[in-house]
Amino acid sequence: MTNETEVDVIDPVAQIESYTKKDFQLTRLPYDFLYGLRNNKFQYSQMQVVMADKASKEGVKSFKQLYKDYLATYHSDEQMLAVNYTEFDGQPFQLACGSYICHDDIALLNSNGIVEEICNHPVLPCVRLVNIDDNTEKLIIKYRKGYKWREITVDKEILASASKITSLAKYGIAVNSENAKGLVKYLTDIEDLNYNEIEEKNSVSRLGWINNHGFSPYVDGLVFDGEENFRTLFNSVKIKGQIENWIEIIKPIRAEKNICSRIMLAASFASVLVNPCDCLPFFVHLWGGTEAGKTVALMLATSVWADPTMGAYIRTFNSTAVAQELTASFVNSLPLVYDELQILKDKKSFDDMIYKLCEGIGRDRGAKNGGVQKIATWKNCILTSGEFPISSEKSGGGAVNRIIEIDCKDKKIFTNPSELVSEIKQNYGCAGAIFVKWLQQGDNIETVKHLRKDFYKKLVADSDVTDKQAMSASLILTADKLINEIFFNDDILLSVSEMQSILTTRASVDQNRRCYEFINDFVAVNYNKFNPEKDGYNGEIYGTVIEDRIYFIKSKFDAVLQENGFNAKAFLSWAVENKVAFTAEGRSSLTKRICGKVCRCVCVLSVEETAEDQLLNNEDLPFD
């Protein structure tokens, strides 16, 4: 048997070449010789390859298994710990594996000298990912099935649990309830043995501003570690083409001074100002007839940050409320872009969607392992388009207040939309990266905050614009001024008066005022049902009208208002306060005899044409 001192003076290759098939099958000579090289790690690895090739030439195809059995039989766990390395065929790199035997499969030499099979194919931890947003860790795992090495990114939480690691079976990893515990320990031990050798990278699972790190994805060396469903969306935020080309594409569009394209473009930039300016998310909705160029306007706005190709970054409204929430959380600071509002059939759900997305915070949801999931949050602008407005007469005041709606009036927004689409598909993402970099320089964020506040003051001065509408519009005006200075220098700027002309006023968002108008309209439309004494009438009765007062049967009043999106209790409180409704003391209604029957009714002041004009002009009735 060759001892360790003889190894130093013998040519290892020549010695290996001298072994015969009989030596491999019936003696320990080749195995003792190879084991004697273990103190020279590099030579030991090389000679394992040479020895395996020699055995194969001699017709012994199972050398690696024989050597594994030799180690298990004749050498202790402590000896192997210092010298053992992974020897997977085609492995991307080599790692120390301690008492594990890693050749065509993974096995463990336990303290009793017994070899336990862990996994029947190679598995290697490759890269450690540390999320810069929440400090959680994941591992990129490489594994080989057949001849091809694959890789997946897995939460450490999964890799540390025997019950959870079985979920990797769906990726083809041979793990089940029997070997799960052994595979968990193997991956943990290998990472511990090679902690400094395994590469560590910063990672992120979303886009947008990240405290103390900058803006994702514009952080050097950043790796995506989020849900696979969002990988396409994440990868679409990239730079293609040249900023000079993009500017030359956009300048003629600005020169046309179409308010639709200018606001959509500025709103796209304004999205990343929402968070640093501590504002609320808001909608910008472009609506009008088909072929006006609404989708192209969304693509133009998207080209600031990402690939404007439909399906890459832009989404449609053909999605669930949960999907919308998760997508908003993922884009986070970048604009959330939705096309084709008309896909939504249930218009009653519009208000819910608006409220939820403009809150900037998701629902509390239970976690599978107990407790609650991390609450999704976002602060951005939501850019949408459709053939009709996103709000209606029945929309709540809060919903209307959160939307800037632009009627394109069925006029074409762009002179040559097909050429524009072709050009921006070759040049996109440059402007957004430059804009974010500028924001992070010096005191530029403070400059932006002061600029926005100045625009806000101008918007609310001598106007009836609501605070929330002014806040959203001030962000758009701020972004428009900044991009003129950074990119275009053409002084084609959105004016305060232009923005005021499309913003919602306090009167139009007053839900109770609109409810009052609705009641008077409803009574006019249902004239016979409020004139039960009329000769020959034998239909349903809703109440009666006496002089300038509408007596509306309370049960029907409540039902009609609820069906049309109004709150009866809130309206009555407002109406009594403003003296357009009358009730019995301490009650929300009063009694009135209708067709000989005593009914409990709501008494609402009926508005004549001249009085209605006064009401709308807020002259006589004390609404404010």
Side-chain angles (χ1 to χ4, degrees), residues 46-101:
Q46 287 182 314
M47 292 306 106
Q48 286 188 62
V49 176
V50 174
M51 190 75 83
D53 288 342
K54 174 60 177 174
S56 180
K57 290 176 183 178
E58 294 295 327
V60 179
K61 304 297 184 183
S62 57
F63 170 76
K64 289 186 177 180
Q65 182 62 44
L66 288 168
Y67 188 57
K68 181 168 67 175
D69 294 341
Y70 163 84
L71 292 172
T73 303
Y74 296 106
H75 299 283
S76 69
D77 182 46
E78 289 77 13
Q79 289 173 306
M80 290 181 62
L81 188 62
V83 299
N84 202 25
Y85 287 84
T86 58
E87 293 293 340
F88 299 125
D89 281 342
Q91 63 186 15
F93 45 80
Q94 190 176 61
L95 295 176
C97 58
S99 55
Y100 292 94
I101 304 165

Side-chain angles (χ1 to χ4, degrees), residues 155-162 165 184 188:
D155 286 332
K156 280 286 197 71
E157 183 182 19
I158 292 175
L159 298 177
S161 169
I165 200 172
V184 166
T188 302

Side-chain angles (χ1 to χ4, degrees), residues 452 454-466 469-475 477 495-497 499-500 503:
R452 189 205 66 82
D454 289 341
F455 276 122
Y456 175 84
K457 292 176 182 177
K458 292 176 182 177
L459 284 163
V460 297
D462 301 321
S463 74
D464 194 31
V465 173
T466 68
Q469 288 271 291
M471 178 198 69
S472 302
S474 67
L475 287 168
L477 290 171
S495 68
V496 171
S497 60
M499 290 301 300
Q500 286 175 328
L503 298 180

Side-chain angles (χ1 to χ4, degrees), residues 123-125 127-129 136-143 151-161 164-171 173 187 191 224-226 228 231:
V123 180
L124 275 176
V127 179
R128 183 169 49 255
L129 302 179
T136 57
E137 287 191 13
K138 296 184 180 181
L139 276 180
I140 296 179
I141 302 295
K142 286 185 178 290
Y143 62 104
E151 72 173 45
I152 55 172
T153 303
V154 189
D155 286 332
K156 280 286 197 71
E157 183 182 19
I158 292 175
L159 298 177
S161 169
K164 293 178 181 179
I165 200 172
T166 55
S167 64
L168 302 186
K170 65 184 177 184
Y171 299 106
I173 292 179
L187 290 169
E191 186 185 6
F224 177 69
D225 70 351
E228 283 301 311
R231 187 174 292 277

Side-chain angles (χ1 to χ4, degrees), residues 79 103 202 205 256 303 308 493 495-496 508 556 563 596 613:
Q79 289 173 306
H103 294 287
N202 286 336
S205 55
E256 293 174 1
S303 73
L493 297 170
S495 68
V496 171
S508 60
K556 195 64 184 178
E563 288 172 7
D613 292 337

